[in-house]
Amino acid sequence: MNQDSQLRSRFTFWLSVSKDQNIDNFSDQLKQIGSFGTAREFWSYYSYMVKPEKLPFGAQFFLFQEQIQPVWEDPQNMNGGRLILRVKRGFENRVWEELILHYLK
């Protein structure tokens, strides 16, 4: 991916960290990490993010197109789904990176 390449859309990284999985309002635990529209901007965030293998229990990363929040209540997610992968230890970082790089193309 060329560092100055425009991506097909603008995207936002989100983070959720919760020790209590029964939290009433999921959106209250969401933190926007940052938005990007070029490969250079993507790498400026991604290179400093904690990798999946180092996330604390209950933490989740989300990658959505800008203006769409990672909650079911967002109208853009009305017909959406959720993909959860169980990955053998030692492969989680590679799988996460491959998935997001493919999604950004």
Side-chain angles (χ1 to χ4, degrees):
M1 187 182 315
N2 180 330
Q3 285 288 315
D4 295 317
S5 298
Q6 282 293 126
L7 302 175
R8 62 181 168 86
S9 183
R10 289 192 57 80
F11 296 90
T12 301
F13 275 120
W14 296 83
L15 175 66
S16 166
V17 179
S18 172
K19 292 178 175 67
D20 179 9
Q21 295 298 317
N22 296 319
I23 193 164
D24 288 333
N25 195 352
F26 176 75
S27 62
D28 288 345
Q29 67 183 356
L30 284 172
K31 303 290 183 237
Q32 185 175 334
I33 295 173
S35 297
F36 55 91
T38 67
R40 183 179 305 275
E41 291 171 334
F42 162 78
W43 288 110
S44 72
Y45 286 109
Y46 186 76
S47 62
Y48 291 100
M49 290 171 59
V50 172
K51 300 303 180 238
E53 70 180 9
K54 302 287 186 189
L55 286 175
F57 181 79
Q60 302 175 73
F61 278 128
F62 300 93
L63 177 61
F64 276 73
Q65 287 186 354
E66 193 176 52
Q67 306 298 323
I68 301 174
Q69 292 188 5
V71 295
W72 293 114
E73 295 79 12
D74 190 307
Q76 297 280 1
N77 296 329
M78 185 181 301
N79 295 315
R82 181 176 183 186
L83 174 66
I84 298 174
L85 298 174
R86 301 229 184 257
V87 179
K88 186 175 179 181
R89 286 202 183 274
F91 293 94
E92 57 269 63
N93 296 343
R94 174 72 184 251
V95 170
W96 169 243
E97 188 169 295
E98 292 289 330
L99 283 171
I100 60 177
L101 290 176
H102 181 74
Y103 178 66
L104 296 175
K105 286 184 182 179

